[in-house]
Amino acid sequence: MRRLFPVALAVLVTAGCSAAVAQKTERSGGTGPFTLVTGRDTTGYLQPLLDRWNQAHPGERATLLELPEAADEQRAQMVANLQAKSDRYDVLGLDVVWTAEFADAGWILPLDRGMFPLDRFLQPVVDTAIYKDKLWAVPYTSNAGLLYYRKDLLAKQGFKPPKTWAELREQARTLHDKYGIGGYAGQFLAYEGLTVNFAEAVQSAGGQILSRDGTRVTMDVAKAKTGLDFLTGGFREGWIPAESLSFKEEESRLAFQEGRLAFARNWPHAYGPATASAVAGKFGVTRLPGLNGPGSSSLGGVNLALSAYSKRQKSAVEFIRYFTGLENQRRVLADGSFPPVWAELYDDPGLIKRFPYLPVLKQSILSAQPRPASANYNQVSLVIASAVSNALTPPFKEDDDDVAVSMKGQLNEIIRAQ
């Protein structure tokens, strides 16, 4: 028995290794129908693009699985699926800030850089898909916050689009009082959107919250307070309507295109629907204002990643190559109003004629600040959104200094625990 035991053990180990290798090979070389899971498509542009793929690849059909609109809820459902090692999801549409977390957890697989024309993409966008010198996803859409404004109302008052917070405040108050509409709104519900709006306010005051690599809290309390004052002041004075405390992207988009707001901070996808709304021909788009001049947006967007548990990895990777290709990227902009990742599309005369804001958007993306590549980003965002929501909700706190100091302390605890 003593002589047989090592042999038997070797057989078992070899069999186990062979099974693992076979499973890995099956997954990496697997082809067939697969799923794309992403946030809810509020514009209806996505399924027609998938139909084009499906018509050309009948044996590798892509099925769209839509998650809730809010980024926090999308992440929660994806994480639950991946923690269970389910193979239901194949291609993941990830918010650009999730790269580090999903890579560290082993939920997504690194991709071969040579398979994708990354040198023709906007560089800040490519950076969001790289973590620890590996490519973990491929940029699909980019995003930068823009200021939508009622150019017809501004013209009546002799105003030019605001470049500073002081100009925005003056114009928003004037238009609110004269026309009985909300002055300004962004995304102020306590979720990831509020974190983005606050981060943009801090950046536009000359500060930042974390170091770019997410390893240090670099928040200057005075600059954070300045950014918070811009938001709380609007609610106190009434030119930011109280109802916007419940706004996500869709609520703020609808409020503006229905004529209930003079100014709105939103992503570029809100442009297309507005051209067929009550404000069609009456609005314009410009960069976000800041403390002393044009402000700084947070860099947003969606990257396509490969689930580590997919059994159709070969088909999934080919789909990612197709869906991030130049021809499809043109349709992403033309049909969905989403910012493409190919740099050359921003200089296309035909597209600029149809989307006059493209030069402004390109400038906004190139000057945007990426959110930190922190594996604990979700905790960071929850702390920020909760603290800022409390500050914006009546009864207002006496001093925003206290909010900023408390927030910085909580963030330091999270970062030290990494």
Side-chain angles (χ1 to χ4, degrees):
M1 290 294 294
R2 289 181 181 177
R3 291 183 179 180
L4 291 175
F5 179 76
V7 176
L9 178 60
V11 170
L12 289 173
V13 171
T14 302
C17 290
S18 297
V21 170
Q23 185 180 36
K24 182 177 180 181
T25 302
E26 176 192 355
R27 286 180 172 173
S28 61
T31 61
F34 60 91
T35 58
L36 165 66
V37 58
T38 189
R40 185 164 69 90
D41 174 17
T42 59
T43 66
Y45 90 103
L46 190 51
Q47 188 59 55
L49 297 188
L50 290 177
D51 290 342
R52 294 179 67 88
W53 162 272
N54 290 340
Q55 288 168 7
H57 304 82
E60 300 173 286
R61 293 181 61 83
T63 297
L64 176 63
L65 298 178
E66 293 184 84
L67 299 182
E69 175 194 344
D72 310 64
E73 297 174 42
Q74 294 171 28
R75 177 193 166 277
Q77 291 195 23
M78 283 192 189
V79 168
N81 177 278
L82 294 166
Q83 285 179 333
K85 299 184 178 181
S86 168
D87 62 2
R88 187 179 180 216
Y89 298 163
D90 297 290
V91 179
L92 308 171
L94 301 184
D95 188 303
V96 294
V97 298
W98 299 341
T99 302
E101 177 191 5
F102 280 53
D104 267 353
W107 296 330
I108 56 178
L109 297 176
L111 301 170
D112 180 0
R113 296 191 194 202
M115 295 182 68
F116 308 95
L118 302 179
D119 59 327
R120 298 175 69 179
F121 292 2
L122 294 168
Q123 187 56 49
V125 178
V126 175
D127 292 342
T128 67
I130 295 173
Y131 178 61
K132 294 183 178 178
D133 295 324
K134 291 183 178 181
L135 181 71
W136 292 94
V138 183
Y140 171 62
T141 62
S142 186
N143 243 348
L146 297 171
L147 182 70
Y148 291 74
Y149 63 91
R150 286 288 300 275
K151 66 180 182 181
D152 60 330
L153 301 184
L154 266 62
K156 288 179 181 179
Q157 300 303 127
F159 292 147
K160 293 183 178 180
K163 294 182 178 180
T164 66
W165 287 342
E167 291 172 353
L168 175 61
R169 175 178 179 269
E170 176 194 358
Q171 294 180 19
R173 292 181 68 178
T174 299
L175 297 178
H176 167 65
D177 293 344
K178 185 157 188 175
Y179 297 98
I181 61 176
Y184 169 80
Q187 292 73 51
F188 300 134
L189 183 70
Y191 78 116
E192 171 66 12
L194 181 55
T195 298
V196 168
N197 278 246
F198 175 69
E200 290 174 340
V202 174
Q203 292 160 197
S204 297
Q208 60 178 177
I209 299 174
L210 300 183
S211 60
R212 183 161 293 192
D213 62 5
T215 61
R216 291 177 297 112
V217 179
T218 53
M219 178 190 291
D220 180 293
V221 169
K223 291 177 178 176
K225 179 182 181 298
T226 299
L228 191 58
D229 283 346
F230 161 63
L231 298 175
T232 57
F235 280 99
R236 285 191 178 101
E237 296 170 6
W239 51 272
I240 300 181
E243 68 169 331
S244 65
L245 289 171
S246 65
F247 281 8
K248 302 192 294 295
E249 284 84 354
E250 273 299 280
E251 289 81 1
S252 52
R253 177 181 72 81
L254 289 171
F256 181 78
Q257 71 181 49
E258 290 172 358
R260 295 187 281 121
L261 290 172
F263 299 94
R265 181 265 175 220
N266 215 325
W267 304 104
H269 80 278
Y271 186 91
T275 61
S277 73
V279 298
K282 301 177 182 178
F283 74 98
V285 179
T286 189
R287 292 180 64 183
L288 296 176
L291 179 61
N292 299 310
S296 171
S297 170
S298 290
L299 187 63
V302 172
N303 297 335
L304 299 183
L306 176 63
S307 168
Y309 309 111
S310 168
K311 292 182 179 179
R312 299 287 185 267
Q313 290 180 9
K314 186 174 181 180
S315 293
V317 170
E318 286 304 312
F319 172 80
I320 292 174
R321 290 182 67 187
Y322 167 86
F323 230 51
T324 57
L326 181 58
E327 182 183 355
N328 199 66
Q329 283 284 293
R330 187 181 295 274
R331 292 192 177 92
V332 166
L333 173 61
D335 299 344
S337 294
F338 287 96
V341 298
W342 285 69
E344 62 200 70
L345 293 177
Y346 290 84
D347 304 317
D348 184 299
L351 291 175
I352 292 174
K353 184 177 181 179
R354 182 174 173 184
F355 301 97
Y357 64 86
L358 279 181
V360 171
L361 176 57
K362 182 179 181 180
Q363 190 176 23
S364 296
I365 291 173
L366 293 177
S367 63
Q369 293 192 32
R371 283 165 283 175
S374 171
N376 287 341
Y377 180 80
N378 188 56
Q379 291 178 269
V380 168
S381 181
L382 288 172
V383 164
I384 294 172
S386 177
V388 176
S389 178
N390 288 335
L392 301 183
T393 305
F396 301 107
K397 297 184 181 299
E398 292 295 323
D399 193 346
D400 288 339
D401 252 347
D402 296 338
V403 178
V405 170
S406 174
M407 185 191 306
K408 184 173 184 178
Q410 293 180 68
L411 292 176
N412 271 315
E413 290 181 11
I414 293 171
I415 298 304
R416 280 196 296 266
Q418 287 188 153

Coordinates of all heavy atoms in Angstrom, one line a residue, residues 147 162-173 184 197-207 222-231 234 237 239 263 287-296:
L147 N -22.3 71.4 -19.2 CA -23.4 72.3 -18.7 C -24.4 72.5 -19.9 O -24.0 73.1 -20.9 CB -22.8 73.6 -18.2 CG -23.9 74.6 -17.7 CD1 -24.4 74.1 -16.4 CD2 -23.3 76.0 -17.5
P162 N -22.2 80.9 -18.8 CA -21.4 81.2 -17.6 C -20.1 80.3 -17.6 O -20.1 79.2 -18.0 CB -22.2 80.8 -16.4 CG -23.2 79.8 -17.0 CD -23.5 80.2 -18.4
K163 N -19.0 81.0 -17.3 CA -17.7 80.3 -17.1 C -17.3 80.1 -15.7 O -16.4 79.3 -15.4 CB -16.6 81.1 -17.9 CG -16.8 81.1 -19.4 CD -15.7 81.9 -20.1 CE -15.9 81.9 -21.6 NZ -14.8 82.6 -22.3
T164 N -17.9 80.8 -14.8 CA -17.6 80.8 -13.4 C -18.8 80.5 -12.6 O -19.9 80.7 -13.0 CB -17.0 82.1 -12.9 OG1 -18.0 83.1 -12.9 CG2 -15.8 82.5 -13.7
W165 N -18.6 80.0 -11.3 CA -19.7 79.8 -10.4 C -20.5 81.1 -10.1 O -21.7 81.0 -10.0 CB -19.2 79.2 -9.1 CG -18.8 77.8 -9.2 CD1 -19.1 76.9 -10.2 CD2 -17.9 77.1 -8.3 NE1 -18.5 75.7 -10.0 CE2 -17.8 75.7 -8.8 CE3 -17.3 77.4 -7.1 CZ2 -17.0 74.8 -8.2 CZ3 -16.5 76.5 -6.5 CH2 -16.4 75.2 -7.0
A166 N -19.8 82.2 -10.0 CA -20.4 83.4 -9.7 C -21.4 83.8 -10.9 O -22.5 84.3 -10.6 CB -19.4 84.5 -9.5
E167 N -20.9 83.6 -12.1 CA -21.8 83.9 -13.3 C -23.0 83.0 -13.3 O -24.1 83.4 -13.6 CB -21.0 83.8 -14.5 CG -19.9 84.9 -14.7 CD -19.0 84.7 -15.9 OE1 -19.1 83.6 -16.5 OE2 -18.2 85.6 -16.2
L168 N -22.8 81.7 -13.0 CA -23.9 80.7 -13.0 C -24.9 81.1 -11.9 O -26.1 81.1 -12.2 CB -23.3 79.3 -12.8 CG -24.4 78.2 -12.6 CD1 -25.2 78.1 -13.9 CD2 -23.7 76.9 -12.2
R169 N -24.4 81.5 -10.8 CA -25.3 81.8 -9.7 C -26.1 83.0 -10.1 O -27.4 83.0 -9.9 CB -24.5 82.2 -8.4 CG -25.3 82.7 -7.2 CD -24.4 82.9 -6.0 NE -25.1 83.4 -4.9 CZ -25.3 84.7 -4.6 NH1 -24.8 85.6 -5.4 NH2 -25.9 85.1 -3.5
E170 N -25.5 84.1 -10.6 CA -26.3 85.3 -11.0 C -27.3 85.0 -12.0 O -28.5 85.4 -11.9 CB -25.3 86.3 -11.5 CG -26.0 87.6 -12.0 CD -25.1 88.5 -12.9 OE1 -23.9 88.2 -13.0 OE2 -25.6 89.5 -13.4
Q171 N -26.9 84.2 -13.1 CA -27.8 83.9 -14.2 C -29.0 83.0 -13.7 O -30.1 83.2 -14.1 CB -27.1 83.3 -15.3 CG -26.1 84.3 -16.0 CD -25.3 83.7 -17.1 OE1 -25.7 82.7 -17.7 NE2 -24.2 84.3 -17.5
A172 N -28.6 82.0 -12.9 CA -29.6 81.0 -12.4 C -30.6 81.7 -11.5 O -31.9 81.5 -11.7 CB -28.9 79.9 -11.7
R173 N -30.2 82.6 -10.7 CA -31.1 83.3 -9.8 C -32.0 84.2 -10.6 O -33.3 84.3 -10.4 CB -30.4 84.2 -8.8 CG -29.6 83.3 -7.8 CD -28.9 84.2 -6.8 NE -29.8 84.9 -5.9 CZ -29.4 85.8 -4.9 NH1 -28.1 85.9 -4.7 NH2 -30.3 86.4 -4.2
Y184 N -30.7 75.7 -11.6 CA -29.6 74.8 -11.9 C -29.8 73.5 -11.2 O -30.3 73.4 -10.0 CB -28.3 75.4 -11.5 CG -27.1 74.4 -11.6 CD1 -26.5 74.1 -12.8 CD2 -26.6 73.7 -10.4 CE1 -25.4 73.2 -12.8 CE2 -25.6 72.8 -10.5 CZ -25.0 72.6 -11.7 OH -23.9 71.7 -11.7
N197 N -20.6 64.7 -8.8 CA -20.9 66.1 -8.8 C -20.1 66.8 -7.7 O -19.6 67.9 -8.0 CB -22.4 66.4 -8.5 CG -23.3 66.3 -9.7 OD1 -23.9 67.2 -10.2 ND2 -23.4 65.1 -10.3
F198 N -19.9 66.2 -6.6 CA -19.0 66.8 -5.5 C -17.6 66.8 -6.0 O -16.9 67.8 -5.8 CB -19.2 66.0 -4.2 CG -18.3 66.5 -3.1 CD1 -18.4 67.7 -2.6 CD2 -17.2 65.7 -2.7 CE1 -17.5 68.2 -1.6 CE2 -16.3 66.1 -1.7 CZ -16.5 67.4 -1.2
A199 N -17.1 65.7 -6.6 CA -15.7 65.6 -7.0 C -15.5 66.7 -8.0 O -14.4 67.4 -8.0 CB -15.4 64.3 -7.6
E200 N -16.4 67.0 -8.9 CA -16.2 68.0 -9.9 C -16.2 69.4 -9.3 O -15.4 70.3 -9.7 CB -17.4 68.0 -10.9 CG -17.3 66.7 -11.9 CD -18.5 66.6 -12.8 OE1 -19.5 67.2 -12.5 OE2 -18.3 65.8 -13.8
A201 N -17.0 69.6 -8.2 CA -16.9 70.9 -7.5 C -15.6 71.1 -6.8 O -15.0 72.2 -6.9 CB -18.1 70.9 -6.5
V202 N -15.1 70.0 -6.2 CA -13.8 70.1 -5.5 C -12.7 70.4 -6.6 O -11.8 71.3 -6.4 CB -13.5 68.9 -4.7 CG1 -12.0 68.9 -4.2 CG2 -14.5 68.7 -3.6
Q203 N -12.7 69.6 -7.7 CA -11.7 69.8 -8.7 C -11.8 71.2 -9.3 O -10.8 71.8 -9.7 CB -11.9 68.8 -9.9 CG -11.6 67.4 -9.4 CD -12.3 66.3 -10.3 OE1 -12.4 65.2 -9.9 NE2 -12.8 66.7 -11.5
S204 N -13.0 71.7 -9.5 CA -13.2 73.0 -10.1 C -12.8 74.2 -9.2 O -12.8 75.3 -9.6 CB -14.7 73.2 -10.6 OG -15.0 72.2 -11.6
A205 N -12.6 73.8 -7.9 CA -12.1 74.8 -6.9 C -10.5 74.6 -6.8 O -9.9 75.3 -5.9 CB -12.7 74.6 -5.6
G206 N -10.0 73.7 -7.6 CA -8.5 73.6 -7.6 C -8.0 72.5 -6.7 O -6.8 72.3 -6.4
G207 N -8.9 71.6 -6.2 CA -8.5 70.5 -5.3 C -8.7 69.2 -5.9 O -9.1 69.0 -7.0
A222 N -10.0 73.2 2.9 CA -10.5 74.5 2.5 C -11.1 74.5 1.0 O -12.1 75.0 0.8 CB -9.4 75.6 2.5
K223 N -10.4 73.7 0.1 CA -10.9 73.6 -1.2 C -12.2 72.7 -1.3 O -13.1 73.0 -2.1 CB -9.8 73.1 -2.2 CG -8.7 74.1 -2.3 CD -7.6 73.6 -3.2 CE -6.5 74.7 -3.4 NZ -5.3 74.2 -4.1
A224 N -12.2 71.7 -0.5 CA -13.4 70.9 -0.4 C -14.6 71.7 0.1 O -15.7 71.5 -0.4 CB -13.1 69.7 0.5
K225 N -14.3 72.5 1.1 CA -15.4 73.4 1.6 C -15.9 74.4 0.6 O -17.1 74.6 0.4 CB -14.9 74.2 2.8 CG -15.9 75.1 3.5 CD -15.3 75.9 4.6 CE -16.4 76.8 5.3 NZ -16.9 77.8 4.3
T226 N -14.9 74.9 -0.2 CA -15.3 75.8 -1.3 C -16.3 75.2 -2.3 O -17.3 75.7 -2.7 CB -14.1 76.4 -2.0 OG1 -13.3 77.1 -1.1 CG2 -14.5 77.3 -3.1
G227 N -15.9 73.9 -2.7 CA -16.7 73.2 -3.6 C -18.1 72.9 -3.0 O -19.1 73.0 -3.7
L228 N -18.1 72.5 -1.7 CA -19.4 72.2 -1.1 C -20.2 73.4 -0.9 O -21.5 73.4 -1.0 CB -19.1 71.5 0.3 CG -20.3 70.9 1.0 CD1 -20.9 69.8 0.1 CD2 -19.8 70.3 2.3
D229 N -19.6 74.5 -0.6 CA -20.3 75.8 -0.5 C -21.1 76.2 -1.8 O -22.2 76.7 -1.7 CB -19.3 77.0 -0.1 CG -18.9 76.9 1.3 OD1 -19.5 76.2 2.1 OD2 -17.9 77.6 1.7
F230 N -20.5 75.9 -2.9 CA -21.1 76.2 -4.2 C -22.5 75.4 -4.3 O -23.5 76.0 -4.7 CB -20.2 75.7 -5.3 CG -20.9 75.5 -6.7 CD1 -21.6 76.6 -7.3 CD2 -21.0 74.3 -7.3 CE1 -22.2 76.4 -8.5 CE2 -21.6 74.1 -8.5 CZ -22.2 75.2 -9.1
L231 N -22.5 74.2 -3.8 CA -23.7 73.4 -3.9 C -24.7 73.7 -2.8 O -25.9 74.0 -3.0 CB -23.3 71.9 -3.8 CG -22.5 71.3 -4.9 CD1 -22.1 69.9 -4.7 CD2 -23.2 71.4 -6.3
G234 N -26.5 77.0 -3.3 CA -27.5 77.0 -4.3 C -28.9 76.5 -3.7 O -29.9 77.1 -4.0
E237 N -30.2 79.3 -1.2 CA -30.7 80.5 -1.8 C -31.9 80.1 -2.8 O -32.5 81.1 -3.3 CB -29.6 81.2 -2.6 CG -28.5 81.7 -1.7 CD -27.3 82.2 -2.4 OE1 -27.3 82.2 -3.7 OE2 -26.3 82.5 -1.8
W239 N -31.8 78.7 -5.9 CA -31.6 78.6 -7.3 C -31.3 77.2 -7.8 O -31.3 76.9 -9.0 CB -30.6 79.6 -7.9 CG -29.3 79.7 -7.2 CD1 -29.0 80.4 -6.1 CD2 -28.1 79.0 -7.6 NE1 -27.6 80.2 -5.8 CE2 -27.1 79.3 -6.6 CE3 -27.8 78.1 -8.6 CZ2 -25.8 78.8 -6.7 CZ3 -26.5 77.6 -8.7 CH2 -25.5 77.9 -7.7
F263 N -30.4 75.7 -16.3 CA -29.1 75.0 -16.4 C -29.2 73.6 -15.9 O -29.9 73.4 -14.9 CB -28.0 75.8 -15.7 CG -27.8 77.2 -16.2 CD1 -28.5 78.3 -15.5 CD2 -27.0 77.5 -17.2 CE1 -28.3 79.6 -16.0 CE2 -26.8 78.8 -17.7 CZ -27.5 79.9 -17.0
R287 N -18.7 73.9 -21.4 CA -17.9 73.2 -20.3 C -18.5 73.6 -18.9 O -19.2 74.7 -18.8 CB -16.5 73.6 -20.3 CG -15.7 73.1 -21.6 CD -14.3 73.5 -21.5 NE -13.6 73.0 -20.4 CZ -12.3 73.3 -20.1 NH1 -11.6 74.1 -20.9 NH2 -11.7 72.7 -19.1
L288 N -18.3 72.8 -18.0 CA -18.7 73.1 -16.6 C -18.0 74.4 -16.1 O -16.8 74.5 -16.4 CB -18.5 71.9 -15.7 CG -19.2 70.6 -15.9 CD1 -18.7 69.6 -14.9 CD2 -20.7 70.8 -15.8
P289 N -18.7 75.2 -15.4 CA -18.0 76.4 -14.8 C -17.3 76.0 -13.6 O -17.5 75.0 -13.0 CB -19.2 77.3 -14.5 CG -20.4 76.4 -14.3 CD -20.2 75.3 -15.2
G290 N -16.3 76.9 -13.2 CA -15.6 76.6 -12.0 C -15.4 77.9 -11.1 O -16.1 78.9 -11.4
L291 N -14.6 77.8 -10.1 CA -14.5 78.9 -9.2 C -14.0 80.2 -9.9 O -14.6 81.2 -9.7 CB -13.5 78.5 -8.1 CG -13.2 79.6 -7.0 CD1 -14.4 80.0 -6.3 CD2 -12.1 79.1 -6.1
N292 N -12.9 80.1 -10.7 CA -12.4 81.2 -11.4 C -12.3 81.1 -12.9 O -11.7 82.0 -13.5 CB -10.9 81.4 -10.9 CG -10.9 81.7 -9.4 OD1 -11.6 82.5 -8.8 ND2 -10.0 80.9 -8.7
G293 N -13.0 80.1 -13.4 CA -13.0 79.9 -14.9 C -13.6 78.6 -15.2 O -14.2 77.9 -14.3
P294 N -13.4 78.1 -16.4 CA -13.9 76.7 -16.7 C -13.5 75.7 -15.7 O -12.4 75.7 -15.2 CB -13.3 76.4 -18.1 CG -13.2 77.8 -18.7 CD -12.7 78.7 -17.6
G295 N -14.5 74.8 -15.3 CA -14.2 73.8 -14.3 C -13.7 72.6 -14.8 O -13.3 72.5 -16.0
S296 N -13.6 71.5 -14.0 CA -13.1 70.2 -14.4 C -14.1 69.1 -14.1 O -14.7 69.0 -13.1 CB -11.8 69.9 -13.5 OG -11.4 68.6 -13.7

